[in-house]
Amino acid sequence: MQQETLLADLLERVRAGDRGALARAFSLLERAPELWRWESEGNAAGSFVVAVAGPPGAGKSTLLGAIARALSSRDMSCGIVAFDPASPRSGGALLGDRIRMLDAAALPNVFVRSVAARDPVGPGTAALPVLLALLELYGFDFVFLESVGAGQEATPLLALADSVLLVSAPGLGDSVQILKAGVLELADIVIVNKADRSGADELARELTAYFRLVAAPTEEPTTVLRTVATEERGIEDVLEALAARRERALRTRMLRTRRRSRLVRFLQARLRERCLRAIDDLVAELLHDDSDGVATPVTEGALLRMVVQRLASWLDDEAAR
């Protein structure tokens, strides 16, 4: 109850625009997403969530820093959740992405947090829908989710986003083949960053040709843009593309559908985590009871019944809260 009381107080301050309360609530919900009450807090629809993926070295963090500064100059706000590789020692985020966005993070209408991509089911699967709801409650115009890479590890982020921004750059090998193995077909906007380097024009042509080949006649074509994030060149074009996607999403009520899917994913992750915990606890208890060193025979059906009983007890406790 102490944590729930603390969260309730923090959420009141978040609604009032308190950045310090937002940071504390973010940390609390990252550790304990089960504290969030969807039925009471709901989803403050309005923030446009953009997943940002791309191979290492493409300049995702530098690009996001430039986008955040440009949004700030337009009196718009944004939250950035950067999924960094987990530290092998502490399990926490290595903070590499946050370091590259220090100047943008200091702006009053920009919020940057790093999250360790250590979830075995996908980065931030359990907590991410809750964290997005929290950022929307604060009232950000845009929320960006930066993936570690462009492969399968990015999939959970893409499923929760309203739009997908894919970043590539020349000199990373056969970039089209690399991206095709990941999330190229899901991208709404593709950015060729470091466009002042040799090979940028060729890469942009390859990507444009690919999307012309695979696009359905009724689909809006994927936008291919060029930027030099270190010099903030091409950033205005990116903002215009994002604004157009956001306007279309608001017009078609897509945001409401996305928010329902986030609730479903949160409930799935919570139930999955509870089932795994119940199984782990039961196995540990059975092993602890074997004082003679001989394993107690348990059928799969019996174990399943015990798991269901544990889950039923948990549901009773949740209903009583």
Side-chain angles (χ1 to χ4, degrees), residues 46-58:
S47 299
F48 190 66
V49 180
V50 182
V52 181

Side-chain angles (χ1 to χ4, degrees), residues 122-140:
T125 299
L128 185 53
V130 172
L131 298 178
L132 286 176
L134 173 67
L135 295 173
E136 288 187 323
L137 190 67
Y138 185 82
F140 287 111

Side-chain angles (χ1 to χ4, degrees), residues 36 38 41-50 128-137 139-145 159-163 245-246 249-250 252-267:
W36 183 267
W38 289 91
E41 302 304 336
N43 277 342
S47 299
F48 190 66
V49 180
V50 182
L128 185 53
V130 172
L131 298 178
L132 286 176
L134 173 67
L135 295 173
E136 288 187 323
L137 190 67
F140 287 111
D141 295 303
F142 287 89
V143 174
F144 296 94
L145 306 176
L160 295 173
D162 303 315
S163 184
R245 298 284 175 177
R246 183 189 185 200
L250 291 170
T252 60
R253 302 171 66 87
M254 184 186 76
L255 297 184
R256 180 173 296 182
T257 301
R258 289 284 189 182
R259 275 130 193 82
R260 284 199 296 265
S261 72
R262 287 177 201 164
L263 172 58
V264 171
R265 283 186 168 270
F266 169 71
L267 295 175

